[in-house]
Amino acid sequence: MAESTENTFPWRGKTLAYREAGQGTPLLFLHAFPLSSRMWDGQLAAFSATHRCLALDFAGFGGSASAVTAGEISRMEDLADQARTLLDHAAAERAVVCGLSMGGYAALAFAAAAPERLAGLILADTRAGADNEEGRKGRLGMAERVSKEGTGFLAEAMVPKLLGATTRAERPQVVSWVSQEIAAATPEGVAAAQRGMAERPDRFAILAKLTVPTLALAGEEDELTPPDESRRMAAAVAASNLVILPHAGHLSNLETPEAWNGAVARFLREM
Ligand code: MLT
């Protein structure tokens, strides 16, 4: 297992952070909301034996927290551009891009903007559809609330949705880790990402054009982006694989890491 290093790169006059470990075909990890590249520590440990793993902190989160100021909007196209700029910085022409939830929205925006940079795509616990009006309102409501009150209320509000029933009942260390990570998110980063996610378009047309091997995977207990969303995405892609992980919720890589890593390792071997 290779140690991961923490590095930075410039993006539109700002400084963004990422972690890197291992050598081989680049494997780029894009994190969920409102977390950071730290959610991929277990994957960097596992996949650095076979791949050059890069894990980006999107502007507004983790080591890139200060790259977003009050009132900004982090559109998924911006997150995708951050990912592409990281690949440029790392001199990585193509990468397998793996995004979970918001990271998946960004991965789909990346596939739309720079399909030639994709070697493969892993869409975990995410969806290709846009939000409905109620969903958009909820996001803008949260953006407003964190801007006024800070992020103190977020962990309690989000943990029951982010983690599956089995994890909430049986994996207290995951519950406490995720709660701490949410508490570390900044109001500026959270508000900007919520405004950006509210604006994201439907991406099914992009899935239909994909020619690279694609894996859609989801926790069986995911209530935020239920497994049917992964089934719909897999059905829309020509070269697709579908995995539903038992006893995992929305943050499936953190909840059942061995099964998650096993499914991804199989996909990477066979692609
Ligand atoms: C995430 O895990 O990234 C979020 O649940 C995404 C979302 O709010 O749609």
Side-chain angles (χ1 to χ4, degrees):
M1 187 218 321
E3 281 281 289
S4 78
T5 57
E6 292 182 34
N7 308 293
T8 60
F9 67 101
W11 178 75
R12 297 184 188 168
K14 302 172 178 191
T15 299
L16 302 186
Y18 69 102
R19 287 155 204 266
E20 172 164 6
Q23 286 178 348
T25 302
L27 175 55
L28 173 62
F29 290 100
L30 303 178
H31 65 81
F33 166 89
L35 305 178
S36 75
S37 63
R38 282 189 292 267
M39 70 172 270
W40 298 116
D41 280 353
Q43 282 62 49
L44 262 57
F47 293 103
S48 56
T50 51
H51 287 74
R52 181 181 181 198
C53 299
L54 300 161
L56 170 62
D57 279 333
F58 289 128
F61 296 96
S64 308
S66 59
V68 157
T69 49
E72 281 191 51
I73 303 183
S74 294
R75 293 186 177 83
M76 298 306 100
E77 291 77 7
D78 299 321
L79 306 191
D81 194 54
Q82 292 163 22
R84 183 166 53 166
T85 307
L86 169 55
L87 292 190
D88 291 343
H89 172 79
E93 208 172 307
R94 296 196 329 143
V96 178
V97 176
C98 170
L100 191 143
S101 197
M102 180 178 78
Y105 308 154
L108 288 168
F110 182 104
E116 73 287 356
R117 308 293 295 269
L118 270 185
L121 185 61
I122 301 170
L123 298 167
D125 300 281
T126 192
R127 56 156 54 92
D131 287 344
N132 60 21
E133 203 41 47
E134 189 190 342
R136 269 192 288 274
K137 265 198 196 148
R139 292 191 189 285
L140 300 181
M142 185 194 283
E144 213 171 292
R145 188 168 171 198
V146 292
S147 304
K148 285 193 195 128
E149 292 177 28
T151 55
F153 70 93
L154 265 192
E156 204 178 317
M158 291 195 72
V159 162
K161 296 179 191 156
L162 290 176
L163 298 174
T166 307
T167 298
R168 280 181 274 131
E170 297 175 12
R171 302 178 186 119
Q173 72 289 0
V174 177
V175 175
S176 119
W177 189 87
V178 169
S179 304
Q180 279 170 28
E181 288 295 301
I182 296 174
T186 67
E188 294 80 7
V190 166
Q194 282 291 34
R195 292 188 195 107
M197 286 193 282
E199 288 191 11
R200 70 184 204 287
D202 183 288
R203 300 279 188 197
F204 275 100
I206 296 303
L207 290 179
K209 282 193 206 154
L210 277 181
T211 53
V212 293
T214 298
L215 169 64
L217 97 175
E220 193 172 32
E221 300 174 5
D222 185 347
E223 289 171 25
L224 272 179
T225 48
D228 272 353
E229 297 289 349
S230 290
R231 292 189 182 100
R232 288 177 65 210
M233 290 190 294
V237 181
S240 71
N241 300 261
L242 172 71
V243 173
I244 308 298
L245 297 169
H247 315 300
H250 186 63
L251 297 178
S252 57
N253 70 310
L254 295 169
E255 297 183 54
T256 58
E258 280 183 22
W260 198 99
N261 291 351
V264 169
R266 212 162 28 253
F267 168 72
L268 292 170
R269 253 193 328 269
E270 290 169 7
M271 62 175 261

